[in-house]
Amino acid sequence: MLRNIIIFLIILFPSISLAGNPLYMKPDGTPLGWDTSKTIKYKVDPVGLGRLSYDQSLALIQLAMSVWENVEGAGIRFEYLGPDDEDITQENKYEAWDRARDGNYVIIMFDNVGDMSIGMGNAGILGVEGDDQKPLYFSSGDIRLDGQYVDGDDSNEEDCSLLDMMGAIVHELGHLLGLDHSTLHYDIYYDVKWMFAAREYARYLPTMFPGLTRGTGEHLINLHPDDIATIQWMYGNGTVPLATGNV
């Protein structure tokens, strides 16, 4: 049923976007997201990410979560439930997904061999409250982070800084919350990536931009106005003034 819901929503809302947009839309034209009257509960893979200990990995994730929690008026709150029951691998990830769906929580997986993720990380929705015709809220999800980027071994993937990894986590949390990619200021990304412009110009890129240039994580962990406006529109409780219109 979830697959049918997601396919239906993707048809309603195409994946190509320029500025910030929600990933999924309900049939009534409103964005699909989490119920902010509740916390978004999560469990974490009990093995650390790359060379990091479990406590260090958890601290990095919680710092990334605080970036979204601190958006005024969005009402995003995460609740830590503890470590998952077992180290999650390609072989047992489906059982971990089932536990997350049954328990209505997000499972955060550490992929330390590179067979569960593409790039530095991925995020997805596992369950939705409601039915095909009237989806209400996300009820469970997952994030997969590639520990090869922070394992101290450049023979698999070239290591990045912890700031870059935190930037990637903030980005994947944005997808978990229902934000699509934003290609705003693609020209700046191109110039920074190919060193036509200094890395400091990456501060003009949205956190939800679909690409990360090494050494720019410090800018990704500070949300761009585009990211903030999108999350406030999706989750705003009326305390933040927003103006919309046609151009």
Side-chain angles (χ1 to χ4, degrees), residues 108-131:
I108 300 178
M109 307 178 181
F110 299 147
D111 178 12
N112 290 328
V113 295
D115 61 359
M116 292 194 296
S117 55
I118 300 173
M120 295 175 70
N122 307 104
I125 299 302
L126 297 175
V128 177
E129 292 182 27
D131 56 36

Side-chain angles (χ1 to χ4, degrees), residues 129-154:
E129 292 182 27
D131 56 36
D132 293 27
Q133 300 302 314
K134 291 185 178 181
L136 300 175
Y137 301 105
F138 301 145
S139 59
S140 58
D142 83 310
I143 293 178
R144 283 148 282 143
L145 302 172
D146 193 337
Q148 294 180 115
Y149 287 88
V150 287
D151 65 356
D153 180 5
D154 287 347

Side-chain angles (χ1 to χ4, degrees), residues 112-205:
N112 290 328
V113 295
D115 61 359
M116 292 194 296
S117 55
I118 300 173
M120 295 175 70
N122 307 104
I125 299 302
L126 297 175
V128 177
E129 292 182 27
D131 56 36
D132 293 27
Q133 300 302 314
K134 291 185 178 181
L136 300 175
Y137 301 105
F138 301 145
S139 59
S140 58
D142 83 310
I143 293 178
R144 283 148 282 143
L145 302 172
D146 193 337
Q148 294 180 115
Y149 287 88
V150 287
D151 65 356
D153 180 5
D154 287 347
S155 66
N156 43 43
E157 296 288 352
E158 183 183 351
D159 270 25
C160 66
S161 70
L162 290 183
L163 271 177
D164 283 356
M165 178 54 74
M166 181 176 167
I169 297 171
V170 175
H171 177 100
E172 296 308 328
L173 285 167
H175 286 318
L176 181 75
L177 293 173
L179 275 71
D180 199 354
H181 282 142
S182 169
T183 53
L184 195 67
H185 300 320
Y186 179 84
D187 53 335
I188 294 177
Y189 171 76
Y190 181 90
D191 287 347
V192 172
K193 180 177 178 63
W194 296 107
M195 295 182 287
F196 296 123
R199 286 180 176 175
E200 65 186 45
Y201 283 91
R203 69 181 182 272
Y204 298 114
L205 293 174

Side-chain angles (χ1 to χ4, degrees):
M1 179 176 291
L2 173 63
R3 178 177 296 178
N4 292 335
I5 293 174
I6 297 303
I7 290 173
F8 179 63
L9 294 169
I10 290 173
I11 290 172
L12 281 181
F13 194 88
S15 60
I16 297 174
S17 64
L18 295 177
N21 276 303
L23 272 169
Y24 310 117
M25 297 291 284
K26 300 177 185 178
D28 64 3
T30 59
L32 183 61
W34 297 85
D35 181 359
T36 55
S37 70
K38 307 174 184 177
T39 57
I40 302 172
K41 297 176 172 59
Y42 67 98
K43 288 188 176 184
V44 179
D45 197 321
V47 176
L49 178 67
R51 69 177 185 276
L52 304 180
S53 69
Y54 180 81
D55 289 342
Q56 290 170 330
S57 305
L58 178 61
L60 191 65
I61 289 166
Q62 291 178 334
L63 276 174
M65 288 177 169
S66 71
V67 172
W68 293 106
E69 289 178 323
N70 290 334
V71 175
E72 181 184 359
I76 302 297
R77 297 170 297 142
F78 293 97
E79 180 183 349
Y80 174 56
L81 298 181
D84 195 50
D85 296 341
E86 57 183 342
D87 178 22
I88 304 168
T89 65
Q90 176 69 17
E91 288 69 32
N92 64 13
K93 69 179 181 182
Y94 298 102
E95 289 83 357
W97 284 341
D98 287 342
R99 290 194 296 272
R101 274 190 288 262
D102 292 343
N104 293 323
Y105 62 82
V106 174
I107 180 63
I108 300 178
M109 307 178 181
F110 299 147
D111 178 12
N112 290 328
V113 295
D115 61 359
M116 292 194 296
S117 55
I118 300 173
M120 295 175 70
N122 307 104
I125 299 302
L126 297 175
V128 177
E129 292 182 27
D131 56 36
D132 293 27
Q133 300 302 314
K134 291 185 178 181
L136 300 175
Y137 301 105
F138 301 145
S139 59
S140 58
D142 83 310
I143 293 178
R144 283 148 282 143
L145 302 172
D146 193 337
Q148 294 180 115
Y149 287 88
V150 287
D151 65 356
D153 180 5
D154 287 347
S155 66
N156 43 43
E157 296 288 352
E158 183 183 351
D159 270 25
C160 66
S161 70
L162 290 183
L163 271 177
D164 283 356
M165 178 54 74
M166 181 176 167
I169 297 171
V170 175
H171 177 100
E172 296 308 328
L173 285 167
H175 286 318
L176 181 75
L177 293 173
L179 275 71
D180 199 354
H181 282 142
S182 169
T183 53
L184 195 67
H185 300 320
Y186 179 84
D187 53 335
I188 294 177
Y189 171 76
Y190 181 90
D191 287 347
V192 172
K193 180 177 178 63
W194 296 107
M195 295 182 287
F196 296 123
R199 286 180 176 175
E200 65 186 45
Y201 283 91
R203 69 181 182 272
Y204 298 114
L205 293 174
T207 294
M208 297 311 298
F209 191 88
L212 183 150
T213 299
R214 290 177 183 272
T216 62
E218 63 182 297
H219 304 303
L220 293 181
I221 64 176
N222 296 297
L223 298 180
H224 185 275
D226 187 60
D227 306 305
I228 295 171
T230 305
I231 199 73
Q232 286 177 334
W233 169 62
M234 290 179 62
Y235 290 97
N237 57 16
T239 63
V240 179
L242 296 176
T244 62
N246 297 320
V247 177

